[in-house]
Amino acid sequence: MEYNTQMDAARKGIVTKQMEIVARKEKMDVNRLQQLVAAGKVVIPANKNHKSLDPEGVGNGLRTKINVNIGVSKDCYNLDLELEKAKRAIELKAEAIMDLSCYGKTQEFRRRLIAMAPVMIGTVPMYDAVGMLDKELKDITVDEFFSVVERHAEDGVDFMTIHSGINRATAEKVKNNRRLTNIVSRGGSLLFAWMELNNRENPFFEYYDRLLDICERYDVTISLGDACRPGSIHDATDAAQIEELIVLGELTKRAWARNVQVMIEGPGHMAINEIAANMLLEKRLCHGAPFYVLGPIVTDVAPGYDHITSAIGGAIAAASGADFLCYVTPAEHLRLPDLEDMKEGIIASRIAAHAADIAKGIPGARDWDNAMSAARAEVNFPRMIELAIDPEKAGRYREQSQPECEDTCTMCGKMCPMKNMKKILNGEDLTIK
């Protein structure tokens, strides 16, 4: 039996190769996974033209996944460095990479990335439109916008962020309910500007069925972008954000009617006490579709440390229902991240995702922690380092400060509680001088 998308297959009772792989990774019954994909509660982004893909699932009952952003800008145009970042992100076990390049002719880079990457690849075609078409924003036509989307789909992009929810009505909410930070979404601000300059409706809202045609043809998952996500804790959960979320819920149902897979993007900057309620709102208004959050960053005053502010918010968000975390690096709000920034962002996001998986009761999540605890109880430092989320850093710290006794560390030395409890419980003598 033929099918167009993973959702189409699931609704026809077909278990695809991608579903089998994801079910095995997630320790989930494949028929249960098929039901979740059919209901839209799990997506398997898998463009038909992404031949190197090792598929992952995102959504209800699955491990929390993380995404890493790369891409060139006019000020930092080094394609080889961005490919190096992509390879490093894959080594560090990110499940997705988004190419956010916003300058130059990026198709060659995008194709090289898709050809080498076994992870999900996402893009924001709006970023590419100005550079690819070599035109001023206000002069880009509706047909030209869709030509960029189609090119990304042809190249093999698995999921695309499309800001279809910022229509004229949502834009009025932004204008009539002024924010401290206005619209901080790059793609959303470009579409807002295009609508204002041309006095026209958002083409990705007005011609949404045309977008669905492309996504259905290539099995591209739509990541419905949150143009009105808060860029400061002051702006969180305001009228514009909620108005757009309601629209995204309506667009989700229209996509599902065409068997097109959907994720919903979310905040943003947000105080800790608002996060759980926002996760509930998204799941309710968007009918249980997987939720992809950008942070949330829980305080605005920590530039240089926003991988930490984001990991705090990401852990709470994922434990409260979010399914996919976009990493944030220490360079957020300051500059394009370098390789070390990227690593710190990935590790912070992976910690947040794993902490949430423990809270959500994801099968096998606690096994890793229990193995680490057992190694600590045995004072087995090689095993601890092997199990660490960042073995390189753990090993380096151990090497930099050697203790007198090999089975201790330089914090406690002979007073190590793990070592001493082990000895006492084994009936051995104890000397700590």
Side-chain angles (χ1 to χ4, degrees), residues 50 52 68-73 76-90 96-117 119-124 127-128 132 151-152 154-157 186 327 336-337 339 342:
H50 189 177
S52 62
V68 170
N69 293 334
I70 64 170
V72 295
S73 66
C76 298
Y77 191 80
N78 187 331
L79 297 179
D80 290 335
L81 176 59
E82 296 308 302
L83 278 176
E84 187 180 351
K85 287 181 185 177
K87 292 173 184 176
R88 187 69 175 127
I90 294 165
I97 294 172
M98 288 198 80
D99 173 19
L100 303 187
S101 295
C102 59
Y103 177 74
K105 310 297 183 184
T106 60
Q107 186 175 45
E108 179 188 351
F109 173 72
R110 185 168 56 252
R111 286 179 171 177
R112 287 170 65 189
L113 175 64
I114 291 167
M116 60 79 70
V119 301
M120 300 179 280
I121 300 298
T123 59
V124 187
Y127 294 178
D128 196 26
M132 190 184 105
R151 183 172 298 187
H152 283 225
E154 288 174 350
D155 288 343
V157 171
R186 194 190 320 173
Y327 92 146
L336 195 74
L339 278 164
M342 188 192 73

Side-chain angles (χ1 to χ4, degrees), residues 297-355:
I297 290 173
V298 296
T299 178
D300 299 331
V301 298
Y305 298 90
D306 277 328
H307 58 311
I308 297 173
T309 64
S310 172
I312 294 168
I316 296 169
S320 302
D323 307 288
F324 196 13
L325 304 180
C326 187
Y327 92 146
V328 173
T329 77
E332 185 77 7
H333 305 111
L334 300 171
R335 61 171 168 82
L336 195 74
D338 62 19
L339 278 164
E340 187 57 32
D341 296 328
M342 188 192 73
K343 177 183 176 181
E344 290 195 35
I346 291 172
I347 296 300
S349 292
R350 285 188 58 205
I351 292 168
H354 180 63

Side-chain angles (χ1 to χ4, degrees), residues 19 23-24 26-35:
M19 291 179 203
R24 187 166 60 250
E26 300 288 344
K27 302 180 177 63
M28 177 180 279
D29 178 77
V30 72
N31 294 312
R32 173 59 179 155
L33 178 65
Q34 177 192 337
Q35 292 169 1

Side-chain angles (χ1 to χ4, degrees), residues 233-354:
I233 61 172
H234 176 276
D235 296 341
T237 325
D238 70 352
Q241 181 193 334
I242 302 306
E243 170 81 15
E244 184 179 30
L245 192 60
I246 292 168
V247 175
L248 297 184
E250 295 166 351
L251 295 175
T252 296
K253 289 193 292 185
R254 287 176 59 185
W256 286 348
R258 294 283 301 275
N259 294 316
V260 172
Q261 301 185 97
V262 175
M263 295 187 289
I264 306 297
E265 289 189 9
H269 292 234
M270 182 166 288
I272 285 174
N273 61 309
E274 296 182 50
I275 294 173
N278 268 263
M279 301 307 106
L280 178 62
L281 270 175
E282 184 279 336
K283 291 290 184 176
R284 183 67 60 85
L285 293 175
C286 297
H287 321 293
F291 201 17
Y292 172 29
V293 295
L294 311 174
I297 290 173
V298 296
T299 178
D300 299 331
V301 298
Y305 298 90
D306 277 328
H307 58 311
I308 297 173
T309 64
S310 172
I312 294 168
I316 296 169
S320 302
D323 307 288
F324 196 13
L325 304 180
C326 187
Y327 92 146
V328 173
T329 77
E332 185 77 7
H333 305 111
L334 300 171
R335 61 171 168 82
L336 195 74
D338 62 19
L339 278 164
E340 187 57 32
D341 296 328
M342 188 192 73
K343 177 183 176 181
E344 290 195 35
I346 291 172
I347 296 300
S349 292
R350 285 188 58 205
I351 292 168
H354 180 63

